[in-house]
C-alpha cells in the first residue's frame, strides 16, 4: 500500500461539460484482448474527448484493463478501481488486483482499472527530463529565490504543455469523472461499483457529486478533503506527518526489535538531521554525495506509508554510523502528471515569499521533527507562480443523489490525515459512513480481517457499517514487501517522495 522509503467557497469549474451534456458523446464498446503484461487479464482502449466541453474535438485513448469475475454465475457487476497519485496507473492496479482484493470480491465483480487521462498509457503528461532536473530549491530563503521558483514552474508547465498537447490543460479530476461515466456506458452497466484509494478518493467523491445515481456502491479509502484552502491544507498535512513520526517513536519505545529501542529516538532523529544540515551525512557507497535533511525526512515519510518502521529504524541507525547499504534513489522520468493534475484540482497559490515563509514557519511549528510535511510542502511549492484560475477548484463535498458511500481512514495516516476524513464525512453526513482503522499507514482495506470483512460486506451485500464503526489496530510486521523494495509506485511531487497513493 505504501512505498519503501521512498475553503475556497463559491468557485466553479468551467473547463468540463455539464455531466448531462457529456453523456451526448458517442461511446463505443471496448475491443478486449489479452494484456501484453499478463494474458489472464484483458486490456483495451476507449476513444474519448480530450475536452468534454468539445466532445467532437481531439480524442485520446483511455487505457483499460479487466479481470473478469471468477464466479460468473454470481457476478454482481463491475468494480472500477483507482490507486491514487495523482499519477497512479489503474491498469497496473488491475493487473495485480488478485493480490489485493479478497477472493470473495474477485468472484463477484469484474475488476476494472484504467489509467486516468494524462497518466501512463492514457496520453501521459510528458516533460523534458532536462527541465525537470533544473528545479531550483523549493525552500526559497528570500523573494529572489521565490521568484526563481515561480519562473521555473511556469517554464516547466510550458515545456510539458508543448510536449503533451491539449491534454496538459485537461488532466484534472473533473475530466476523469466524465471518462468514468463514459466507461460505464461503454461497458453497458446501469450502475458501477468503485474503489478508490488516496487521490482516487477525490475521483470517487467528484463522481458521486456529478453521477451519484449511477453508483451501486462506492468505497473511498484514505480520504482527500477538497474543501481546504492553502493555509489549512499545509497545516493539516504538517499535523499528520508529525503524528506519524510520534507513532514511530512510540513503536520503537515499546518494541525490542526496533534498532533504536532503548534510545531517545526523538533526540537521535534531531541530531541526525542536524548532522545532515552541516553536510556530515553522505550517501552510502558515495562519500562525495551529501545526504540532506530533506532526503532523510522523505525516506522516513515514505516508510510511514507501510508503515515500514523496522527497516526505517535500521536504516537511520546505519546512516548515522556511515554503514548504511547503498540504495537506489528514484530517477527523474519524463512522465510527470502530478503538477498538471494537482495544480488544476487545487487553487493553492502563494503570492510572495513573505506569505510562503509564513506557511513554512507555521508548518514547522506544528511539525518540529518532520519540519512540516514533505508532501504538503512539495505540492504547494510545485504550484507557485502558476495561474490562479484552475479547472477544478476546492469546494465543500456536496453529494445529493448517491447511495451510502463507505469511507475508510487510518487514525495515523501520514498523507491523508484522519481529520480530512472526518471533515469530508461531516460535509456529506447523509450519504457517507466513516469506518476508522485505529492503526497506522496509508490505505486501509487490507489492514485486517475487520477492515477487509466490513468493506467486502458493503461491496457485495451493501451492508453499511454503523456510523462510528472502528477496527482495532494491527501491529505492523517486522518485515514487509515494501521494505525490500518489491512494491514500486510512481513518485509524487518529486522523485523518491510518494504522493497520495495507495
Amino acid at each position: 500500500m505504501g512505498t519503501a522509503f521512498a475553503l475556497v467557497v463559491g468557485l466553479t469549474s468551467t473547463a468540463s461539460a455539464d455531466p448531462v451534456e457529456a453523456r451526448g458523446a458517442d461511446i463505443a464498446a471496448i475491443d478486449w484482448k489479452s494484456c501484453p503484461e499478463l494474458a489472464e487479464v484483458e486490456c483495451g482502449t476507449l476513444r474519448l474527448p480530450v475536452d468534454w466541453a468539445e466532445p467532437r474535438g481531439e480524442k485520446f485513448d483511455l487505457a483499460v484493463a479487466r479481470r473478469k469475475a471468477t464466479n460468473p454465475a454470481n457476478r454482481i457487476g463491475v468494480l472500477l478501481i483507482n490507486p491514487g497519485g495523482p499519477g497512479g496507473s489503474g491498469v497496473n492496479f488491475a493487473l495485480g488486483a488478485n493480490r489485493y482484493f479478497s477472493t470473495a470480491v474477485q468472484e463477484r465483480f469484474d475488476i476494472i482499472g484504467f489509467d486516468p487521462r494524462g497518466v501512463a498509457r492514457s496520453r501521459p503528461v510528458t516533460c523534458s527530463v532536462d527541465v525537470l532536473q533544473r528545479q531550483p530549491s523549493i525552500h526559497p530563503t528570500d523573494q529572489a529565490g521565490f521568484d526563481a521558483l515561480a519562473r521555473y514552474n511556469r517554464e516547466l508547465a510550458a515545456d510539458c504543455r508543448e510536449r503533451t498537447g491539449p491534454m496538459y490543460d485537461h488532466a484534472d479530476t473533473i475530466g476523469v469523472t466524465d471518462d468514468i461515466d463514459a466507461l460505464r456506458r461503454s461497458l453497458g452497466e446501469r450502475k458501477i461499483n468503485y474503489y478508490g484509494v488516496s487521490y482516487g478518493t477525490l475521483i470517487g467523491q467528484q463522481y458521486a457529486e456529478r453521477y451519484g445515481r449511477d453508483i451501486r456502491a462506492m468505497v473511498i479509502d484514505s480520504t482527500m478533503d477538497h474543501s481546504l484552502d492553502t493555509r489549512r491544507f499545509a497545516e493539516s498535512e504538517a499535523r499528520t506527518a508529525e503524528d506519524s513520526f510520534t507513532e514511530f517513536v512510540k513503536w520503537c519505545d515499546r518494541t525490542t526489535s526496533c534498532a533504536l529501542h532503548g534510545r531517545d529516538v526523538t533526540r537521535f532523529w534531531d541530531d541526525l538531521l542536524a548532522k545532515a544540515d552541516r553536510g556530515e551525512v553522505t550517501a552510502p557507497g558515495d562519500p562525495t554525495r551529501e545526504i540532506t535533511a530533506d532526503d532523510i525526512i522523505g525516506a522516513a515519510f515514505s516508510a510511514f506509508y507501510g508503515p515500514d518502521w523496522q527497516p526505517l529504524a535500521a536504516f537511520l541507525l546505519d546512516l548515522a554510523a556511515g554503514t548504511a547499504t547503498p540504495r537506489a534513489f528514484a530517477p527523474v522520468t519524463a512522465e510527470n502528471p502530478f503538477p498538471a493534475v494537482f495544480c488544476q484540482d487545487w487553487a493553492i497559490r502563494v503570492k510572495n515569499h513573505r506569505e510562503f515563509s509564513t506557511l513554512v514557519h507555521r508548518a514547522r511549528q506544528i511539525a518540529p521533527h518532520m519540519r512540516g510535511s514533505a508532501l504538503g510542502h512539495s505540492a504547494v511549492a510545485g504550484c507557485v507562480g502558476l495561474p490562479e484560475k484552475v479547472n477544478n477548484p476546492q469546494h465543500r463535498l456536496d453529494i445529493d443523489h448517491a447511495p451510502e458511500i463507505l469511507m475508510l481512514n487510518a487514525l495515523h495516516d501520514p498523507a491523508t490525515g484522519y481529520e480530512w476524513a472526518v471533515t469530508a464525512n461531516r460535509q456529506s453526513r447523509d450519504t457517507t459512513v466513516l469506518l476508522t482503522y485505529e492503526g497506522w499507514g496509508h490505505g486501509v482495506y487490507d489492514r485486517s480481517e475487520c477492515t477487509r470483512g466490513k468493506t467486502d460486506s458493503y461491496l457485495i451485500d451493501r451492508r453499511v457499517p454503523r456510523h462510528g464503526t472502528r477496527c482495532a489496530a494491527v501491529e505492523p510486521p517486522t518485515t514487509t514487501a515494501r521494505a525490500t523494495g518489491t512494491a514500486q509506485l510512481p513518485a509524487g511531487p518529486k522523485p523518491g517522495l510518494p504522493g497520495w497513493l495507495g
Side-chain angles (χ1 to χ4, degrees):
M1 287 184 302
T3 180
F5 303 132
L7 191 52
V8 181
V9 178
L11 297 177
T12 59
S13 171
T14 59
S16 299
D18 177 88
V20 175
E21 295 174 14
R23 293 173 190 266
D26 294 330
I27 304 298
I30 297 172
D31 181 17
W32 297 104
K33 292 181 172 61
S34 293
C35 297
E37 301 91 341
L38 191 62
E40 68 188 59
V41 181
E42 296 175 315
C43 284
T45 59
L46 184 61
R47 195 79 168 159
L48 296 175
V50 171
D51 181 359
W52 276 102
E54 298 181 9
R56 303 194 185 283
E58 183 171 344
K59 303 293 197 296
F60 78 103
D61 290 324
L62 182 80
V64 187
R66 176 174 69 179
R67 279 185 169 274
K68 284 190 173 181
T70 58
N71 185 350
N74 291 311
R75 176 185 178 275
I76 292 172
V78 297
L79 175 64
L80 271 63
I81 60 174
N82 182 272
S89 166
V91 169
N92 290 349
F93 195 10
L95 291 171
N98 60 318
R99 299 187 301 274
Y100 186 78
F101 292 101
S102 69
T103 299
V105 168
Q106 294 180 59
E107 287 177 345
R108 306 300 295 277
F109 296 97
D110 291 348
I111 298 176
I112 296 180
F114 62 98
D115 288 351
R117 52 176 50 226
V119 172
R121 305 163 185 83
S122 297
R123 188 77 67 86
V125 173
T126 304
C127 313
S128 163
V129 172
D130 179 62
V131 174
L132 287 166
Q133 290 177 328
R134 293 206 308 267
Q135 183 186 45
S137 172
I138 61 172
H139 300 280
T141 57
D142 53 25
Q143 185 62 40
F146 181 88
D147 291 342
L149 179 60
R151 285 194 301 273
Y152 168 80
N153 286 343
R154 290 191 292 268
E155 177 192 3
L156 178 63
D159 175 82
C160 300
R161 182 178 291 109
E162 180 180 357
R163 294 171 184 273
T164 306
M167 178 61 79
Y168 183 85
D169 294 306
H170 297 281
D172 57 275
T173 295
I174 289 293
V176 176
T177 65
D178 289 333
D179 297 343
I180 290 176
D181 204 63
L183 179 55
R184 176 190 65 80
R185 287 179 283 144
S186 174
L187 295 168
E189 299 288 333
R190 190 171 67 86
K191 294 180 182 289
I192 64 164
N193 305 277
Y194 178 84
Y195 172 85
V197 60
S198 200
Y199 209 83
T201 67
L202 181 59
I203 295 172
Q205 290 172 28
Q206 297 203 301
Y207 186 83
E209 287 182 313
R210 307 179 79 232
Y211 295 103
R213 291 187 175 91
D214 299 322
I215 297 169
R216 175 187 172 274
M218 175 175 284
V219 179
I220 49 180
D221 181 349
S222 305
T223 307
M224 301 294 292
D225 176 6
H226 198 231
S227 69
L228 296 165
D229 62 16
T230 303
R231 177 185 62 80
R232 292 191 299 132
F233 173 84
E235 291 181 1
S236 58
E237 284 287 74
R239 270 191 296 274
T240 201
E242 187 74 2
D243 172 72
S244 287
F245 174 80
T246 300
E247 291 299 309
F248 167 63
V249 172
K250 290 179 180 178
W251 175 82
C252 271
D253 287 345
R254 68 176 181 266
T255 306
T256 57
S257 62
C258 173
L260 299 174
H261 181 71
R263 294 173 177 254
D264 183 336
V265 178
T266 301
R267 182 173 180 178
F268 174 90
W269 169 266
D270 290 342
D271 288 347
L272 181 60
L273 295 189
K275 284 180 63 177
D277 288 337
R278 296 192 298 269
E280 298 172 6
V281 181
T282 57
D286 183 4
T288 64
R289 182 183 180 276
E290 291 184 2
I291 296 294
T292 68
D294 278 356
D295 292 332
I296 298 169
I297 290 169
F301 182 80
S302 299
F304 294 159
Y305 276 49
D308 298 323
W309 287 334
Q310 183 89 2
L312 172 62
F315 173 75
L316 295 175
L317 184 63
D318 290 346
L319 193 62
T323 59
T325 302
R327 45 187 292 265
F329 288 83
V332 176
T333 63
E335 292 185 17
N336 186 39
F338 194 97
V341 180
F342 182 83
C343 297
Q344 287 286 10
D345 278 343
W346 300 77
I348 286 181
R349 302 294 187 267
V350 183
K351 295 182 175 61
N352 52 51
H353 180 259
R354 181 178 178 180
E355 187 177 321
F356 191 85
S357 62
T358 298
L359 281 177
V360 171
H361 178 70
R362 177 58 183 151
R364 291 194 171 204
Q365 283 183 322
I366 293 169
H369 303 296
M370 289 297 287
R371 300 185 180 181
S373 164
L375 175 57
H377 181 91
S378 296
V380 171
C383 298
V384 164
L386 298 183
E388 293 188 17
K389 184 178 179 181
V390 303
N391 290 350
N392 183 27
Q394 302 98 294
H395 61 274
R396 290 175 60 88
L397 187 56
D398 183 16
I399 302 173
D400 294 323
H401 304 295
E404 283 191 289
I405 292 168
L406 179 59
M407 289 181 169
L408 313 174
N409 220 91
L411 200 56
H412 305 289
D413 186 312
T416 56
Y418 185 67
E419 65 183 273
W420 284 11
V422 170
T423 300
N425 175 233
R426 186 184 302 122
Q427 291 172 358
S428 56
R429 186 72 176 176
D430 293 337
T431 51
T432 63
V433 172
L434 174 60
L435 184 152
T436 301
Y437 170 62
E438 295 178 323
W440 314 270
H442 189 54
V444 166
Y445 170 73
D446 62 348
R447 292 287 169 182
S448 70
E449 291 184 9
C450 176
T451 57
R452 186 185 299 107
K454 290 188 181 301
T455 304
D456 286 357
S457 292
Y458 166 77
L459 284 171
I460 294 169
D461 301 318
R462 287 186 285 189
R463 190 178 304 145
V464 183
R466 293 181 180 179
H467 284 283
T469 296
R470 302 173 84 87
C471 288
V474 176
E475 286 284 317
T478 56
T479 59
T480 68
R482 289 177 290 273
T484 58
T486 59
Q488 298 295 325
L489 292 172
K494 64 179 184 178
L497 184 69
W500 293 279
L501 287 151

